[in-house]
């Protein structure tokens, strides 16, 4: 930080506590990875898993109390993020995989507090965090007033983010069940749970890290009136950006583990497509993916989007006309 920057020792102490808790939580995940990978050879699998989940739940409770310090005064979150980001820029090349995961966990949770609590506490001063976004402007064009558009942006962004993480983790379950190198996919699922700031971790703890219910349609339906046109446009805007980013990553990565994760994430984004999106996605794949085999694989996945959607809806208790289809 700048030489004349005044350090807030209280904030840094709580930030240090979060870092230590993140390391301890990650260690629980590592033990879960070993346990799940050697499930068939562990006679006390259920007992050990229960103890690990109890330890994880206890650590998360302590972690939640630490985050209350930042929620109670969002300016503390702003300071902590500035500190984290400046130090990240200085030493990111030296961070190993575990350090990056811990950084992501803390950074993303603090970012949520900064935006949501900042708007709640000082709306006029902080609303531009939302009102300058593409999806907010889209909602305004569709007739929502400013405060409704801000609320819908924040709340439905959370719903959609939760859904994407849940479906990604659910698709990983299929890979775990069918692929010989199960450990890679178990690791992906656990790392998504650890690093994502949404509700995936709490959901998996409730499920004891078992199978996720497949009710995509229901989880995309908010408990308030959100017009079909607005919901479709909002989801399309988000998924368009996600697809562009993931196709670029798939095209450039040289790491097989990262490539496998990216392909499953690509498949996840296909869940949110409509019929009119297909040609555009096929064109994106054709234009960007240089490897012919990869291009063919992604194209086949895209054409199978309805089957993928059906697979992630098989636990629905009712039929919902998702996004007008």
């Amino acid at each position: 930080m700048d030489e004349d920057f005044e350090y807030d020792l209280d904030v840094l102490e709580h930030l240090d506590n979060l870092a230590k808790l993140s390391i301890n939580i990650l260690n629980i995940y590592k033990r879960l990875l070993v346990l799940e990978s050697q499930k068939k050879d562990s006679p006390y699998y259920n007992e050990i898993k229960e103890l690990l989940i109890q330890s994880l739940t206890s650590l998360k409770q302590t972690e939640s109390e630490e985050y209350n310090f930042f929620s109670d005064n969002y300016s503390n979150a702003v300071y902590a993020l500035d500190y984290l980001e400046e130090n990240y820029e200085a030493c990111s090349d030296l961070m190993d995989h575990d350090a990056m995961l811990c950084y992501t966990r803390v950074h993303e949770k603090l970012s949520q507090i900064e935006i949501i609590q900042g708007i709640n506490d000082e709306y006029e001063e902080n609303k531009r965090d939302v009102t300058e976004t593409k999806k907010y402007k889209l909602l305004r064009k569709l007739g929502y007033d400013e405060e409704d558009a801000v609320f819908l942006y924040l709340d439905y962004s959370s719903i959609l983010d939760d859904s994407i993480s849940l479906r990604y983790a659910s698709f990983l379950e299929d890979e775990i069940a069918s692929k010989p190198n199960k450990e890679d996919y178990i690791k992906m699922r656990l790392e998504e749970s650890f690093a994502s700031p949404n509700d995936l971790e709490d959901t998996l703890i409730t499920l004891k890290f078992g199978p996720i219910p497949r009710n995509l349609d229901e989880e995309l339906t908010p408990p308030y009136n959100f017009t079909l046109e607005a919901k479709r446009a909002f989801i399309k805007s988000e998924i368009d950006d996600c697809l562009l980013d993931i196709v670029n990553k798939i095209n450039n990565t040289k790491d097989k583990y990262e490539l496998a994760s990216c392909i499953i994430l690509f498949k996840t984004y296909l869940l949110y497509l409509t019929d009119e999106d297909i040609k555009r996605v096929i064109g994106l794949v054709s234009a960007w993916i240089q490897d012919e085999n990869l291009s063919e694989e992604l194209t086949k996945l895209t054409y199978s989007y309805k089957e993928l959607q059906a697979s992630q809806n098989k636990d629905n208790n009712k039929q919902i006309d998702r996004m007008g289809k």
Side-chain angles (χ1 to χ4, degrees):
M1 289 202 165
D2 296 337
E3 291 182 2
D4 59 350
F5 191 92
E6 184 177 348
Y7 286 90
D8 187 324
L9 297 181
D10 199 20
V11 172
L12 295 182
E13 180 181 354
H14 284 276
L15 194 55
D16 186 55
N17 291 341
L18 284 177
K20 292 174 181 176
L21 283 164
S22 294
I23 293 170
N24 290 335
I25 290 171
L26 183 59
N27 286 334
I28 298 292
Y29 273 92
K30 287 183 176 182
R31 293 173 68 184
L32 280 168
L33 172 61
V34 173
L35 182 68
E36 293 293 339
S37 300
Q38 301 174 358
K39 182 177 180 179
K40 292 183 179 179
D41 301 321
S42 177
Y44 301 106
Y45 168 82
N46 291 322
E47 292 83 355
I48 296 171
K49 188 174 185 179
E50 186 65 36
L51 288 172
L52 290 175
I53 291 173
Q54 289 176 7
S55 297
L56 177 57
T57 301
S58 177
L59 285 169
K60 276 176 60 63
Q61 178 59 42
T62 304
E63 181 190 47
S64 179
E65 292 167 3
E66 286 293 332
Y67 278 113
N68 287 340
F69 169 79
F70 297 96
S71 297
D72 291 342
N73 184 349
Y74 84 94
S75 63
N76 290 334
V78 175
Y79 177 94
L81 284 167
D82 287 343
Y83 180 85
L84 280 174
E85 289 165 3
E86 187 156 343
N87 280 275
Y88 172 78
E89 290 178 4
C91 64
S92 60
D93 291 342
L94 303 176
M95 294 173 69
D96 62 17
H97 184 69
D98 287 355
M100 184 65 73
L101 283 172
C102 290
Y103 171 87
T104 301
R105 181 182 179 92
V106 175
H107 183 275
E108 295 306 301
K109 288 180 183 291
L110 287 175
S111 295
Q112 277 191 336
I113 292 171
E114 178 191 31
I115 294 173
I116 297 172
Q117 205 60 44
I119 289 176
N120 287 339
D121 292 351
E122 297 181 12
Y123 177 82
E124 291 299 328
E125 289 78 1
N126 294 296
K127 66 182 182 181
R128 278 187 294 180
D129 288 338
V130 170
T131 58
E132 292 183 352
T133 65
K134 181 171 61 176
K135 289 192 287 294
Y136 166 84
K137 293 174 182 177
L138 182 153
L139 292 171
R140 291 286 279 149
K141 287 181 180 178
L142 290 172
Y144 289 95
D145 65 25
E146 179 185 283
E147 290 193 12
D148 283 347
V150 168
F151 165 78
L152 286 170
Y153 173 92
L154 292 173
D155 193 77
Y156 205 75
S157 290
S158 177
I159 288 173
L160 186 54
D161 186 57
D162 285 348
S163 176
I164 290 170
S165 279
L166 283 168
R167 294 310 114 208
Y168 171 70
S170 184
F171 274 138
L172 286 169
E173 291 171 9
D174 296 336
E175 302 298 325
I176 293 166
S178 63
K179 296 292 176 62
N181 56 331
K182 298 179 188 301
E183 185 172 340
D184 282 350
Y185 297 101
I186 295 170
K187 182 179 179 183
M188 289 176 198
R189 190 172 187 257
L190 292 174
E191 288 186 351
E192 176 72 8
S193 174
F194 175 82
S196 296
N198 52 43
D199 290 341
L200 176 63
E201 184 174 58
D202 291 334
T203 299
L204 288 177
I205 289 173
T206 300
L207 297 169
K208 297 186 177 181
F209 288 88
I212 296 168
R214 303 192 174 199
N215 48 15
L216 171 65
D217 288 352
E218 292 181 5
E219 72 197 19
L220 287 173
T221 304
Y224 47 78
N225 183 35
F226 192 22
T227 70
L228 181 61
E229 181 185 15
K231 187 171 80 167
R232 291 184 65 183
F234 191 98
I235 292 174
K236 181 179 183 302
S237 177
E238 177 70 17
I239 298 303
D240 280 353
D241 290 341
C242 290
L243 282 168
L244 187 62
D245 180 62
I246 203 66
V247 168
N248 184 46
K249 286 182 180 179
I250 290 171
N251 191 53
N252 290 306
T253 187
K254 305 299 180 183
D255 182 89
K256 290 184 178 180
Y257 178 88
E258 182 181 39
L259 177 61
S261 174
C262 286
I263 290 174
I264 297 167
L265 198 49
F266 174 85
K267 183 161 67 170
T268 303
Y269 296 144
L270 298 179
L271 295 172
Y272 306 91
L273 296 183
T274 61
D275 292 342
E276 61 194 40
D277 298 323
I278 294 301
K279 287 184 179 180
R280 180 170 43 80
V281 177
I282 297 297
L284 175 66
V285 169
S286 176
W288 282 64
I289 302 298
Q290 298 174 0
D291 184 285
E292 290 186 6
N293 291 329
L294 263 180
S295 180
E296 182 178 354
E297 179 180 358
L298 296 181
T299 299
K300 286 181 178 178
L301 280 174
T302 304
Y303 279 123
S304 70
Y305 80 102
K306 285 190 176 180
E307 289 81 3
L308 298 175
Q309 289 169 349
S311 76
Q312 292 299 320
N313 268 310
K314 67 181 185 180
D315 294 328
N316 271 344
N317 295 320
K318 58 185 178 180
Q319 293 297 318
I320 299 173
D321 185 21
R322 183 170 60 85
M323 295 186 292
K325 291 186 292 182

